[in-house]
Every structure is written in C-alpha cells, then in structure tokens.
Amino acid sequence: MSIVSDKPWHHLEGDAVTTLLKSNLKSGLDPQEARQRLDQYGPNALSTQKGLSTWMRFLLQFNQPLIYILIAAGFITAALQEWVDSGVIFGVVLVNAVIGFIQESKAENALAALADTMVSEATVVRGGEKRRIPSAELVVGDIVLLQAGDRVPADMRLLHCRNLQVDESALTGESVAVEKTVDPLGPDTTLAERINMAYGSSMVTYGQATGIVTATGNQTEVGRISELISSAQNLATPLTKKISHFSHILLYAILVLAALTVVVGLVRGQPLIDMFMAAVALAVGAIPEGLPAAVTITLAIGVSRMAKRRAIIRKLPAVETLGSTTVICSDKTGTLTENQMTVQAIMAGNAHFEVSGAGYAPLGRIVALDDEHTTDSPALKECLLAGILCNDSLVLENDGSWQVQGDPTEGALLTAAEKGGLHEKDMEKTYPRLDTIPFESQHQYMATLHDTGKGRPPLVYVKGAVEQILAKSSEILSTDGESAELNPEKIQQDVSHMAARGLRVLAFARLELPAGTTTIEHKDIASGLTFLGLQGMIDPPRKEAITAVKICRTAGIKIKMITGDHPVTAAAIAEQIGIISVDTGSSVNKAVLTGRELEQLSDEELVGVAQETNVFARATPEQKIRLVRALQARGHIVAMTGDGVNDAPALKQANIGVAMGITGTDVSKEAADMVLTDDNFSSIEAAVEEGRGVFDNLTKFIVWTLPTNLGEGLVILMAVFLGITLPILPVQILWINMTTAGFLGLMLAFEPKEAGIMQRMPRSPDTPILTGDLISRIFLVGTLLLIGAFGLFEWELRQGASIEYARTVAVNAFVIMELFYLFNCRSLSRSIFRLGLFTNMWVFGGATIMLLMQIFYTYIPFMNMLFQSTAIGMESWARIVLAGFITYLIVEAEKKIQNSRLKQQAHRGGGIQEL
C-alpha cells in the first residue's frame, strides 16, 4: 500500500519522490522503519479470494428448477411407498449431479497465478547495506537495485539508470523492450509511455538501475489488474441462458398440468393416491431428465474434438459459446503476430530492398525493388555487416524453434544478415571486436571497434536512432561501394515511408580510425561517419492469422484488435491482416482509436464507437474491459484473445477468453476459458467451427428428445381425461427417458459438421434454441408418439391382453418410434441419404444397444419384476416397427414441405437457403 496515495510519481523529480517517501538514496530505509511499514501496510503480495468449497460446488448441481420437481416427485412416491419408483427417481437426480460436478471447471486460480508472478527476491539498500530479501518483504520507500535478468519486484520510480531496458510486453502489450530514463514526464503520460517507472512483474533485459518503491501488493499496476479480474463478471453462456429460460417455462407448465391432472381426476371421482401417481408420472414424463447429462457430454465431446485442433477448453460451456461468437477482440503481440521482430525493409546506398520471411528463422531472401540494383551491392553488404558486428545478441535454434538470446531488435538484424549470406560466427572471426561503446538512452546509439586484419586500419560500426547517426555522418556509401554526397532530406523521406508501414527504423554507419587504435570514446565518432543505410523491422503478422481473419469475416464474425502497442504499428499490422483498410492519404487516427481518446468517451458513447472502430491502440487493462462491456451492451457474444498479464481482466470479462499456451502468462491462462496450444490465431477459427458444430448437435438432441417428453405427458393427460388406467408408469417413463437419451440421443453428439457451416452468419444471441418450424416439428412428433403408443396400448387391451402386456407394448412403441425419429434428426433439413447414411456409425451402434436393452426389458424376469413389464409376441413387434417407420416417413415429408416453403420465400427475397 502506498504511504502517499494518488501521486503522479512519473511527474516528480527523483529527489522529491525520495523526500515524500521519507527515504534516503544512499542508505535506504532504516531496518526498523521497514519492519514498521511492513506491519502497517502488509506484505508485497496480491490477495486472493477463496473459492467455493467442494461440497458447495456439488450441492449447487441440484440448484436447477427441473431437479426440484424430480426431488419432489421422489419424496411423493416414497410417501406413497412406491420404493422402486422413488429409488429410480433419486438415482437419476444423483447421476445428473455427479456428471455435472465431474465435468465442471476447476476452481479459478487466476489470482493465485497472478500472485505467483511476484514471488521473487530483490536486492535492496537498508541501513546503508545491500542485502537480498524476499520481494514479499519490500515496502514503499525501499531503495531497490536492478540488473539484467531481474524480475521487477514492485512498482518503482527510477532514480539512476545505466542502459536500462525492460520487457513490459506482458503488462502493456509493447512488443519491444522499453528503454528507461530518470527524467520527469508530463502528468498525463500513459502507462506504456512512463519510461521513468519500472512496474512489478516486468523483466529487466539489459542494463542496471536504482529505483525507489512507490507501490506494493494490491496497490501496484499488477495489483490493479488483480482487482479488475475480481470485478470482471462470470457471464452465463448463450446456451445456459436459453436452457435456464426453457427450464423455468417448463417448470411452470409442469406444475400447472400436474395440478390440473389431480383436479380433473378428483372431479371424475378417481382415488387421490392414483391422481398423485398420475401427477408424478406427468412430471417425470415432461422433464427431459437426460438433457443436463446430454448437454454436458455433448460439450465434452466438443472439447475432445477441439483439443485435436490445438484448442484446450478449460470451462465446458465455452465450447458452445464459441459457436455463437459474433466478435473476436484480439491482442496483437504474439496473437496476430509472430512475437519475433523481423527486418522487412532495407535502404542501402539509396537503393531499396525487401526482406521476405518472418521471425528469427533464417528462411527468406533479400530482393532489390528495382532492376538497377542487385543484392551484391557493397552498400547492402556493409549495412548488414554493421547489424552483425554492432550487436550483443545471439539467435539460437532449439528443437526446430529459433529464439533470440538478448534484444529482439538485435536478433532481427542477425537474421536479416543470414538471409543476405553473412554468417555471424564467420564475420566475428573476420572482424574481431576490440572495444565497445554500449547503448545509452542519452546518446541513442551503440558503437563497436573491429580489427580488419592484414595491417588495415580498424573500423568503427555504429547503429542507433536515425537523427543521431545522420547528424554524425558526412557522406553515404553508394551502391558501388564508393563514397557519395549525403542527402539528409532523402534519408528522412525513406524513414517516413518505413515508419508509415509501422516499421521501427535503425540507421547504420561506419568510420575508419588510425592504425593501431584499440579503444574508442564518444568524441571519436562525433563526426565524419559514412552513412551505410537503414533497416526497418516489425513484429510481423502470422500468415495463418491472415487466412483465419478472412474466414471469420466470411462467417459474419467481426475482428477487432485491442493492443497496448503504438497506433501506427497497430494500424500497419491490422491493414496487413485485413482488419482495416487505410486508404492513401487517410489519417491513421480515423482507423485507430488510442487509449487517450478512449478516456474522453463516456460508457454510452463508447458503445457506438466500439461497434464502428476495429483497432484500439495504447489500451490499458481497464479500457480493454470497457471495450468488451461496450460490445456486450450491443448484444454481441465477445471472444477476447491475449497472452499478457494486462489481458487477463478482459479475458475473464469476455463471454469467452482465449489465452496463448506457449507465450501466454499463467495469469492469462487461468483467466481464460480456452487455451491455444500453438498460439495460432487460426486455431480460433477452427474452434469456432467446432463450436458451431456442437451447437448444431445440441439443437438436434433437443429437437429429438422433447417430443418424447411431450408424447409421454400427452399420454398421461389423455388417460386422466378419459378416466382410464395409465398406459405407462412413472418408473417406465424414467426407463424410456434415461436409456434412450444415453443410447440414442447422445449418438447425435458424434454427428460430423454439416457442409457450409462457416458460410452462414452467427446465430443472434436473442435467437431461441428452437425456431417456430422446429417447435412445430416437436408438436407433430409428440402427437405421433401419442397416437402410436396410446393407440397400440388400447389395441392390445381390446384384444384381451393384460395391463402389463399393453404397457410393455406402449413402452416399446415409444422407444422404437424414437429410434426411427433419431435418423430424421441427424439433419434438421436434409435427408440422411443426402447427408450420408454411414457418416455417423455411432448411431447404428447406439440403436443396436438400445434394441438389446428393450429385449432385456421385455423378456428378462428381473426386469419384468422391476419395471412391471412382460414378454410380447411378434405381431405386437410388427405393429410397433410399422408405427416407427410411418413416423420416419411423415417427418421426412414435413422436411420437404418446410424446405419448399423456405425456398419460395428465399426466391422472392433474392436468394435460396435451406431450413
């Protein structure tokens, strides 16, 4: 916690900060004072929230409206001493709860993972002595020493720096290490531009520094992100919302019909106990007991399919949410891009070259942009050579992956030289280094002195900011290797063209020194340099991401880039990927909105801006959450991708958060619903495709199962209204519902995706699961089940059969008619012969098992005793199968009628589509 709150530390002089925090630069805090502050303000650690206990999470599985009815039915049957019925009902409830509990996501660990990022040690000055202490013991006012390789242990104002560079990509999204300074900055400087501050959890990549701690624990920038994660809402998915709404409607309908059943029966003079059993049968019949388990298992199958396509689902409902996604908000660095700096353009000797390839792998080539010049140009070779020699980094191959050891910018220079035929080890042997002037922020350049051998004069190679190198140069090396007149205006034009493409531009020069020189100082290279050229680099877009963005847009999904990077860089990447189109002469600001501009917008204004703008740069964690909420306010289902600590709150707020498995931080992974194992944006497109397939299969299951519940309810109501005995008992209804759901309905979860699934628009979040046409089909099939089961029940009774025989026929009629209807539901609009009869062999396996189960139900004595069934003859089986086949034909005819009607409507509207 900060002693002095709300101070713009970056705006104050270092001495003023030290005075305000009652510390001393040389001696640091007194150890006793440090202990008092630690006791008063607490450790430098992030607080975490306790999750639900295991038992509570299990009990919450029973917190569903339809489960309440089943529990009530179980108690009623127990009170009536119908122990078998009661036991089966409670068994069904318990099975559903266990399945839900097993499949539920693990307790969220985002805040714990975030706290882990701050577990380290720090070097501090206390009582005039340097000492190493756990970072948790740091307090505000501590003087901390930083060096390359350290994780910054808390937020601090820098007091002294020597060539300090800090990787803040996980916090700000900036892909390049930030060069730090100690000078005060303006009060309105954004987080990503506060170069005199170092923030907890960032990494020191180069140099040393001394800083004073300004915030610890929850008061740090990472701590604020922790609080944002806590405040982000856990949103219900489209499917859970719709099933919840459906469950409540069904709850009220069942209660009304059950009460009506009791009242009608009593009016007709039937016994109260019989009417209670009828009401229980109605309730049990109308509830789709298999639906919760079927949804869970169908989603789990989707998880398995997605895992094969490199998308790991952490939270089960995310499978279906992906299929409903209307907007993907993507971070730039490491998600849409390679997260590897790459030289793409070179100017040497006033000639221009393009460099192909991406990342640190030396795959690609350098090509001249005009016919007058070739890659054999001495100026090009010298420019590339300067990039190798004036360099302290390495590029190494590890298991087929090329990684930089050191500064990403220097890694890009080494790879570019390899593409030009210059090899780092060879050049270092040929031109051994004699001395170095390291990069310093106040000078903005680095210089190295090299022995050229054979008595030739040594050479100094210099790289750095264009302005600095130009000011020190007096000539330029031409393409033929001769000195020529330097034209600074022309160089600046080339720089502007590169910068407009989002490239980071470095300049290169050389200077010949007198023979025998072995050391260099700044004064030695103050003037007279020979300008060698420019190299422009960028973190390039992934090729797969370009294709994936195109597919997503074809599927009606909007793509928006939200990044902490520079607006020009963001615009350049967005244009290359196809997220925006920046016309010639247009302002980047028209296509990109910055974090500073976002601050000026109210939440209401942001809703409209978020809809129309596709790129947001320099965005803070709070602004990322605001953008996600603004899009959700427009009814969008938002997927948010990211890999940094700064992405975690927005990942949690989004309807589905997508983290990167390789480069992603633990924090982002724990906050996400899905993790991509290959860090590839194209895997999101594959996951969306699978998600749409899962939603289709869930819809097919619901359209298949609801007619059974409707038919069972209608059979009970018909019996009560006619004053006759029940054609099916509650325990028999449960048998039908649970066995058919498991062995028939669940086979629809294995249906392959239908053709054209990514050519259709996303489902509107407001669209119900069941359209009017599908509801009509459910009522049609429910009526057919009523006619078939009730008709065959009455037929058997009129033929003199026993009540057990007639009920066994009715139960088998339900099952066989459902089996035939299952083949109708393999596609909601196409015939299975167009779909491919054998494209889902699971259906045939499930049908075979279901038939065996019905044979056991009908002929095994134990089953006869348990379910009050009995053996039936072949003539009864023939009538049952005929009823099933007629059901199949009627539904196929209804499909053709619906398709014909829709085609006529579409033709009048200018297009043709299927149901």
Side-chain angles (χ1 to χ4, degrees):
M1 179 174 287
S2 179
I3 294 174
V4 184
S5 61
D6 301 325
K7 282 289 184 183
W9 302 113
H10 59 277
H11 180 55
L12 302 177
E13 291 282 356
D15 291 343
V17 175
T18 305
T19 301
L20 278 171
L21 297 180
K22 301 176 182 178
S23 187
N24 185 284
L25 177 59
K26 292 183 178 180
S27 61
L29 290 175
D30 179 77
Q32 182 64 32
E33 172 66 18
R35 279 193 294 272
Q36 290 178 357
R37 294 187 184 188
L38 185 64
D39 292 339
Q40 183 175 357
Y41 299 112
N44 177 37
L46 303 180
S47 58
T48 58
Q49 294 181 339
K50 189 176 180 181
L52 293 174
S53 67
T54 302
W55 277 108
M56 182 56 68
R57 287 190 293 114
F58 178 73
L59 291 175
L60 285 175
Q61 303 301 319
F62 300 94
N63 186 27
Q64 302 176 42
L66 300 183
I67 297 297
Y68 296 156
I69 296 178
L70 282 179
I71 292 173
F75 280 118
I76 291 173
T77 50
L80 297 175
Q81 297 187 353
E82 298 287 343
W83 304 115
V84 173
D85 291 30
S86 178
V88 172
I89 291 173
F90 281 126
V92 168
V93 171
L94 185 61
V95 167
N96 272 326
V98 169
I99 291 175
F101 177 74
I102 291 173
Q103 292 290 352
E104 190 178 77
S105 312
K106 296 177 182 179
E108 294 181 17
N109 295 320
L111 299 179
L114 194 57
D116 289 342
T117 69
M118 297 191 67
V119 175
S120 59
E121 288 191 333
T123 303
V124 301
V125 178
R126 284 186 180 174
E129 297 179 355
K130 282 199 301 183
R131 61 181 72 180
R132 293 281 289 177
I133 65 170
S135 63
E137 296 179 11
L138 280 177
V139 296
V140 170
D142 260 327
I143 302 299
V144 177
L145 307 180
L146 297 174
Q147 61 182 1
D150 286 348
R151 183 188 293 275
V152 179
D155 290 1
M156 60 184 68
R157 172 67 162 86
L158 297 173
L159 304 177
H160 290 299
C161 287
R162 180 173 174 78
N163 310 324
L164 185 69
Q165 296 182 21
V166 180
D167 179 0
E168 297 179 341
S169 59
L171 190 64
T172 67
E174 178 71 60
S175 54
V176 178
V178 180
E179 298 165 5
K180 296 294 185 176
T181 184
V182 298
D183 299 327
L185 302 170
D188 297 329
T189 306
T190 61
L191 178 70
E193 296 169 341
R194 294 176 188 171
I195 57 175
N196 59 8
M197 299 288 294
Y199 293 105
S201 83
S202 57
M203 293 293 297
V204 178
T205 61
Y206 192 82
Q208 297 106 23
T210 301
I212 182 169
V213 175
T214 56
T216 61
N218 287 346
Q219 301 303 309
T220 62
E221 289 298 323
V222 170
R224 290 194 311 106
I225 292 175
S226 172
E227 292 176 2
L228 288 173
I229 294 175
S230 300
S231 67
Q233 302 170 5
N234 281 316
L235 300 175
T237 70
L239 180 68
T240 54
K241 287 179 183 176
K242 289 167 185 174
I243 289 182
S244 176
H245 179 66
F246 167 75
S247 298
H248 281 87
I249 293 175
L250 193 58
L251 170 65
Y252 300 135
I254 290 171
L255 292 176
V256 169
L257 289 175
L260 182 63
T261 299
V262 174
V263 170
V264 169
L266 293 176
V267 168
R268 297 182 63 87
Q270 297 184 35
L272 179 61
I273 291 179
D274 288 352
M275 288 306 94
F276 266 123
M277 287 302 295
V280 167
L282 177 66
V284 170
I287 295 174
E289 291 90 355
L291 182 58
V295 169
T296 299
I297 294 170
T298 303
L299 292 176
I301 292 169
V303 167
S304 176
R305 287 181 174 179
M306 288 182 180
K308 293 176 182 176
R309 303 188 72 173
R310 302 184 183 278
I312 304 299
I313 301 298
R314 293 187 64 253
K315 301 173 183 177
L316 211 54
V319 178
E320 180 273 332
T321 310
L322 272 167
S324 304
T325 299
T326 58
V327 175
I328 298 176
C329 295
S330 178
D331 182 44
K332 178 186 72 66
T333 306
T335 307
L336 292 168
T337 65
E338 297 280 359
N339 199 20
Q340 296 185 341
M341 294 298 287
T342 306
V343 173
Q344 291 190 339
I346 299 174
M347 188 285 290
N350 288 322
H352 296 87
F353 305 86
E354 286 292 319
V355 186
S356 62
Y360 299 126
L363 304 175
R365 51 198 294 258
I366 301 175
V367 180
L369 292 183
D370 56 65
D371 296 333
E372 297 180 16
H373 303 98
T374 69
T375 54
D376 293 328
S377 161
L380 174 62
K381 295 296 183 184
E382 279 293 300
C383 186
L384 294 173
L385 180 61
I388 287 182
L389 298 179
C390 196
N391 198 310
D392 287 330
S393 298
L394 295 172
V395 173
L396 304 173
E397 183 183 13
N398 184 18
D399 294 331
S401 174
W402 292 84
Q403 301 294 330
V404 65
Q405 201 174 79
D407 183 77
T409 299
E410 293 188 334
L413 297 176
L414 294 175
T415 301
E418 286 280 348
K419 294 174 183 177
L422 301 183
H423 306 296
E424 178 187 5
K425 291 182 179 179
D426 294 341
M427 293 303 103
E428 288 179 348
K429 287 180 180 178
T430 306
Y431 302 97
R433 185 183 295 190
L434 300 174
D435 197 15
T436 304
I437 297 178
F439 180 90
E440 292 180 332
S441 55
Q442 65 265 37
H443 294 120
Q444 294 291 302
Y445 64 79
M446 174 184 178
T448 54
L449 177 65
H450 298 269
D451 182 3
T452 57
K454 297 181 181 179
R456 289 178 295 184
L459 285 175
V460 176
Y461 285 97
V462 187
K463 77 170 183 205
V466 177
E467 294 77 10
Q468 291 291 331
I469 305 303
L470 265 182
K472 299 176 185 299
S473 299
S474 57
E475 59 185 13
I476 186 171
L477 190 69
S478 65
T479 53
D480 58 6
E482 300 297 327
S483 297
E485 183 181 353
L486 180 67
N487 185 344
E489 290 76 18
K490 171 67 169 58
I491 303 297
Q492 290 292 0
Q493 288 178 4
D494 291 334
V495 172
S496 298
H497 288 310
M498 288 187 182
R501 294 169 54 186
L503 301 181
R504 184 187 186 201
V505 184
L506 288 179
F508 300 85
R510 75 178 186 189
L511 178 66
E512 186 177 290
L513 293 181
T517 304
T518 58
T519 61
I520 50 172
E521 298 179 6
H522 289 290
K523 64 181 181 180
D524 296 326
I525 55 172
S527 62
L529 301 185
T530 300
F531 194 87
L532 299 177
L534 307 169
Q535 294 194 48
M537 62 194 71
I538 197 170
D539 180 12
R542 296 175 181 266
K543 289 183 179 179
E544 317 92 277
I546 297 173
T547 304
V549 166
K550 185 176 181 180
I551 293 173
C552 286
R553 296 183 73 168
T554 301
I557 301 169
K558 295 179 180 290
I559 308 294
K560 297 183 183 291
M561 179 192 291
I562 306 177
T563 177
D565 216 337
H566 192 280
V568 174
T569 306
I573 294 296
E575 186 177 11
Q576 291 178 50
I577 290 176
I579 294 177
I580 63 172
S581 176
V582 182
D583 298 326
T584 303
S586 68
S587 170
V588 169
N589 290 332
K590 295 179 182 178
V592 181
L593 205 65
T594 65
R596 189 164 292 176
E597 292 168 326
L598 281 174
E599 286 180 359
Q600 311 304 317
L601 299 175
S602 66
D603 289 343
E604 293 74 19
E605 293 171 327
L606 186 58
V607 171
V609 170
Q611 176 76 7
E612 301 301 325
T613 307
N614 286 343
V615 181
F616 302 89
R618 292 296 194 214
T620 64
E622 295 94 337
Q623 290 167 345
K624 290 184 179 184
I625 282 192
R626 285 188 68 204
L627 285 167
V628 171
R629 287 174 176 163
L631 290 166
Q632 289 169 336
R634 289 290 291 259
H636 285 295
I637 302 299
V638 181
M640 170 75 189
T641 76
D643 58 359
V645 173
N646 62 324
D647 297 319
L651 288 176
K652 189 178 179 190
Q653 175 64 41
N655 300 87
I656 175 164
V658 184
M660 303 297 113
I662 299 174
T663 59
T665 59
D666 287 343
V667 185
S668 64
K669 293 174 190 175
E670 293 298 336
D673 304 283
M674 182 174 82
V675 179
L676 304 182
T677 61
D678 59 354
D679 284 16
N680 199 326
F681 184 87
S682 63
S683 296
I684 300 174
E685 179 272 322
V688 169
E689 185 179 331
E690 293 294 342
R692 289 188 174 190
V694 166
F695 189 87
D696 283 357
N697 291 346
L698 281 173
T699 303
K700 292 172 185 177
F701 176 84
I702 293 170
V703 171
W704 173 83
T705 195
L706 290 186
T708 304
N709 304 110
L710 176 63
E712 290 165 346
L714 290 175
V715 166
I716 301 300
L717 286 173
M718 181 70 74
V720 171
F721 284 12
L722 295 178
I724 62 176
T725 187
L726 295 180
I728 44 178
L729 298 173
V731 69
Q732 294 171 336
I733 290 173
L734 281 173
W735 167 264
I736 295 171
N737 290 355
M738 295 305 294
T739 56
T740 57
F743 298 117
L744 296 181
L746 269 182
M747 301 305 106
L748 293 172
F750 296 97
E751 279 296 321
K753 298 179 294 293
E754 294 190 38
I757 199 169
M758 288 299 283
Q759 271 72 56
R760 65 193 192 204
M761 294 295 102
R763 289 177 63 90
S764 168
D766 299 326
T767 302
I769 297 177
L770 302 175
T771 63
D773 291 329
L774 294 180
I775 292 173
S776 298
R777 185 175 300 170
I778 288 169
F779 275 98
L780 169 65
V781 178
T783 304
L784 291 175
L785 287 170
L786 166 67
I787 294 171
F790 196 88
L792 289 174
F793 173 79
E794 284 295 314
W795 171 275
E796 298 297 347
L797 288 180
R798 292 175 188 273
Q799 301 306 308
S802 67
I803 189 67
E804 289 80 8
Y805 189 103
R807 282 174 173 163
T808 303
V809 168
V811 169
N812 278 297
F814 262 105
V815 171
I816 298 303
M817 292 173 75
E818 282 187 75
L819 192 154
F820 275 95
Y821 180 50
L822 180 72
F823 287 92
N824 296 120
C825 288
R826 288 191 57 199
S827 174
L828 298 179
S829 58
R830 297 180 175 92
S831 162
I832 58 169
F833 298 103
R834 284 185 60 193
L835 197 65
L837 184 62
F838 300 107
T839 53
N840 183 5
M841 295 303 296
W842 288 89
V843 169
F844 292 96
T848 301
I849 294 173
M850 191 68 243
L851 290 174
L852 290 174
M853 295 291 287
Q854 285 309 114
I855 291 173
F856 293 157
Y857 174 90
T858 306
Y859 297 107
I860 300 298
F862 171 75
M863 300 293 282
N864 297 154
M865 179 188 69
L866 193 63
F867 291 100
Q868 300 181 39
S869 59
T870 190
I872 61 175
M874 292 304 297
E875 289 185 2
S876 297
W877 278 114
R879 286 187 287 270
I880 291 169
V881 172
L882 180 62
F885 185 63
I886 291 173
T887 299
Y888 173 80
L889 293 177
I890 292 174
V891 175
E892 286 300 308
E894 185 264 351
K895 279 188 193 178
K896 288 185 177 295
I897 294 170
Q898 292 283 13
N899 278 333
S900 177
R901 178 178 59 81
L902 288 175
K903 285 180 180 179
Q904 291 176 0
Q905 291 177 355
H907 183 70
R908 288 195 294 269
I912 296 178
Q913 66 179 26
E914 285 188 324
L915 177 63

